[in-house]
Structures are given as C-alpha cells and as structure tokens.
C-alpha cells in the first residue's frame, strides 16, 4: 500500500518539491501562512491539514522543508504533535547536524525514524524534479526515504549517519558562498581595469577558475541585472554559520569560509532578510564603485 505523505513548508523550494510529491502520493500539506497552502492545494489537488498536529496524525511519512533546524523543532517537536511508532520524518531543511542528531534521538524514543535530507539544485532543479539530495540516517530509514523523495530528485546519495547530510550540505553551500565573494571581488577589479564582465567570464569559464557562480549565476543574474530572488541570502548566511561551527568543533581552520561568513553577515544586515544570495555582489559593486557588466 502506498504511503501517505505530509509536507510541511511550502516556501521557494518546498513548494515545487511538494508538487512532485503530490503527483506520486496521497498528500497533505501544511504551511504557516495558510493562503500559500490553499493556493498549492488548488494547483495540485492535495489536502490542506489544519495544523502540524493533524498532518502528523494522518501521515505515514512527513517531509519538512523550513529555514532552520530550530524551526523544524518548533513545528514538529512540540507537545500537541503526537508521533506514533513506525512513522518517518524526512527533514529536507538545510539544517544543523547536531540539532538533527538531537531531533533523531527524540524521535527514536517514540519509535519514529529520521533522515536528514537537504537538497541542492535551486528552485529550477526543484521544478524539474532533478535535485541532488544528501541523506543522513540508518540504512532502513534511508531506503524508505529514497522511495518517497525520488519524484523530486536527480541524484540521491546516502552519505553517512544522521547529521551527515546536513554537514555535507553546509560545506557545499560554504563553497558556493566563497565563490560568490571571490568572483564578485575579482570581476569588480577586472571591470575597473577595462575587461568587461562578459569577456572575463568567457575566459575564466574556459580556463581554471570557473564554478557554478561563474558559469550560471553571474551570467544569468548579474550581467543581465535581473537579480531574481530564488534563495534568500539570509539562508546562505545561516548555512555559513553551520559550516563555521562544524569547522570550529572539528578543529579545522576556517580562513576562507570564515571570511565568507563575515561578508554574508554584513550583506544580510545591509540588504535584509528577503534579498537573494547573489545580491551580495551588489554590496561589492557599491564598495568598489563599479557595475559588473
Ligand atoms: P523560504 O524562506 O522561501 O520559505 C520558508 C518556508 O518555511 C515558508 O513556507 C515559511 O512559511 C516556513 N516557515 C518559516 N519559518 C517558520 C516557522 N518558524 N514555523 C513554520 N513555518 C515556517 O525558504 P526556502 O523554501 O528557500 O528554503 C527552505 C529550506 O531549503 C532552507 O533550509 C534552505 O536553506 C533550503 N534550500 C533552499 C534552496 C533555494 O534555492 N531556495 C536551495 C536548497 C536548499 P510562510 O509561508 O508562512 O513564510
């Protein structure tokens, strides 16, 4: 018999992920702002749960996709949400490994499985059902989670015990952040020296300094001056915080990632909670007195 899936958190990436789930499974959704859940239900035919408690009592498997691990705790680790043995929580949030382990321990006491399952690939990857998903958890829970998340995934990899998915995701995003800062600074200098952004990227992308930032993000968002909002800068700053804490806890230097954390913290204070992650480059342009184009 097919599993009943509850999906919590219909934000920029959660909504398209839930869309794929609703096509494959009997689905209920819950979102803090109810009108977003209602608009999702209208588009996809899923049911809207009245509360997280109702959703958890109905579902076999619950997927959460919220900003932070603390938000996940606030929604599903509260007295009125009653879990039952045999259920599984798949947390697609880009979370904190230590907090994931704590939540998994709490769920284990109730006979509930937990898999941390953060995603990468952006809203475009989510729409296309081609996300890369990194899973942390026990093999039997991971196997069950894999069957559920398959509709929104391109690549699914079991990377280690509970928390390992969140750890890998934090480092992936730290690399993204370092690349945004470095490419923004480097290109601003080149433009001031008379090399256009387009020319610089044509060469870099055929040389050795390229990354997703130089191949996709800057051409599509900065050179065009389109600055779409798909992944909040505040969330990438949160990921950098997780990464720096992991590096501190493991006794690893964090010179490059620490600098990126500082840059994103400053940009978050200047640009606010709704700015997109690539908009950090606006701050570099402002300080340099130049536009990258
Ligand atoms: P958004 O900010 O777009 O959406 C956040 C969602 O969480 C909304 O549904 C919001 O509800 C809900 N929410 C926020 N705080 C609470 C709370 N305290 N209690 C209940 N619900 C809450 O985030 P994204 O969808 O972009 O990101 C979700 C997760 O996925 C994050 O961990 C992010 O780092 C990660 N991620 C995002 C990617 C992207 O491209 N956007 C890419 C890969 C990972 P409401 O509608 O009421 O505001």
């Amino acid at each position: 018999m097919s599993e009943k899936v509850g999906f919590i958190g219909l934000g920029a990436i959660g909504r398209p992920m839930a869309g794929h789930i609703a096509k494959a499974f009997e689905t209920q959704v819950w979102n803090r702002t109810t009108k977003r859940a209602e608009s999702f239900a209208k588009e996809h035919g899923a049911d809207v749960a009245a509360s997280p408690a109702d959703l958890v009592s109905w579902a076999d498997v619950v997927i959460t996709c919220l900003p932070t691990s603390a938000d996940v705790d606030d929604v599903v680790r509260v007295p009125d949400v009653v879990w039952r043995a045999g259920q599984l929580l798949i947390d697609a949030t880009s979370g904190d490994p230590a907090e994931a382990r704590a939540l998994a321990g709490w769920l284990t006491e109730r006979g509930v499985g937990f898999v941390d399952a953060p995603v990468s690939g952006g809203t475009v990857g989510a729409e296309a059902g081609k996300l890369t998903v990194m899973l942390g958890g026990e093999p039997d829970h991971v196997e069950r989670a894999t069957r559920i998340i398959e509709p929104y995934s391109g690549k699914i990899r079991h990377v280690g015990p509970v928390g390992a998915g969140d750890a890998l995701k934090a480092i992936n995003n730290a690399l993204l952040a370092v690349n945004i800062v470095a490419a923004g600074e480097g290109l601003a200098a080149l433009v001031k020296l008379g090399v256009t952004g387009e020319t610089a990227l044509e060469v870099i992308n055929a040389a050795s300094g390229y990354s997703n930032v130089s191949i996709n993000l800057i051409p599509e968002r900065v050179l065009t001056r389109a600055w779409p909002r798909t992944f909040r800068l505040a969330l990438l700053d949160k990921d950098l915080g997780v990464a720096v804490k992991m590096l501190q806890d493991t006794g690893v230097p964090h010179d490059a990632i620490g600098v990126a954390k500082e840059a994103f913290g400053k940009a978050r204070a200047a640009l606010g909670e709704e700015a997109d992650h690539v908009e950090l480059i606006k701050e570099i342009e402002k300080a340099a007195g130049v536009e990258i184009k």
Side-chain angles (χ1 to χ4, degrees):
M1 203 180 72
S2 182
E3 307 240 49
K4 293 192 286 186
V5 181
F7 199 106
I8 295 178
L10 303 171
I13 198 139
R15 185 181 173 114
M17 288 162 66
H20 290 289
I21 292 294
K23 279 195 205 109
F25 299 97
E26 195 185 344
T27 302
Q28 280 195 7
V29 295
W30 180 83
N31 191 68
R32 181 180 60 181
T33 304
T34 307
K35 68 175 191 308
R36 294 207 173 109
E38 286 168 351
S39 111
F40 177 91
K42 211 167 151 200
E43 187 183 339
H44 295 281
D47 289 328
V48 177
S51 65
D54 282 1
L55 179 141
V56 169
S57 100
W58 172 84
D60 300 311
V61 177
V62 175
I63 302 176
T64 38
C65 189
L66 299 175
T68 67
S69 294
D71 295 319
V72 175
D73 272 359
D74 286 349
V75 173
V76 300
R77 191 179 173 179
V78 288
D80 63 327
V81 173
V82 180
W83 292 87
R84 56 177 191 282
Q87 288 177 303
L88 176 70
L89 173 60
I90 302 171
D91 185 19
T93 304
S94 300
D96 178 304
E99 291 177 43
R101 286 191 291 272
L103 176 57
W106 183 86
L107 289 167
T108 301
E109 288 167 15
R110 287 153 181 78
V112 176
F114 176 87
V115 174
D116 46 307
V119 304
S120 185
T123 51
V124 171
E127 297 281 358
K130 293 255 173 336
L131 291 170
T132 294
V133 192
M134 39 219 111
L135 303 180
E138 293 174 16
D140 51 339
H141 298 151
V142 164
E143 202 181 297
R144 186 174 173 196
T146 299
R147 288 196 297 271
I148 303 293
I149 66 172
E150 202 274 328
Y152 62 65
S153 308
K155 180 176 183 65
I156 302 173
R157 183 78 162 85
H158 182 196
V159 299
V162 168
D166 284 342
L168 180 43
K169 171 66 184 176
I171 296 302
N172 176 78
N173 278 24
L175 298 180
L176 165 68
V178 166
N179 276 303
I180 290 172
V181 176
E185 291 176 353
L187 289 171
L190 286 170
V191 171
K192 289 186 113 172
L193 292 166
V195 184
T196 68
E198 203 176 328
T199 302
L201 289 176
E202 185 190 327
V203 174
I204 288 168
N205 288 337
S208 53
Y210 61 88
S211 69
N212 174 49
V213 176
S214 67
I215 293 174
N216 295 310
L217 295 181
I218 295 180
E220 289 166 11
R221 296 165 180 235
V222 179
L223 297 188
T224 58
R225 314 310 288 172
W227 307 109
R229 291 187 160 177
T230 62
F231 174 40
R232 292 190 296 119
L233 187 152
L235 293 173
L236 187 49
D237 181 51
K238 169 264 304 182
D239 296 331
L240 282 161
V242 173
V244 167
K245 185 165 158 285
M246 278 165 42
L247 293 164
Q248 286 169 339
D249 290 349
T250 50
V252 174
H254 46 279
D255 295 334
I257 292 174
V259 165
K261 170 72 187 93
E262 245 176 70
F264 272 87
K266 261 197 261 167
R268 182 177 181 174
L271 298 170
E273 294 296 297
E274 297 307 320
D276 184 73
H277 64 309
V278 179
E279 289 182 70
L280 175 126
I281 293 177
K282 283 185 178 170
E283 288 297 287
I284 295 172
E285 290 182 327
K286 201 162 86 185
V290 70
E291 273 190 10
I292 297 168
K293 49 187 186 191

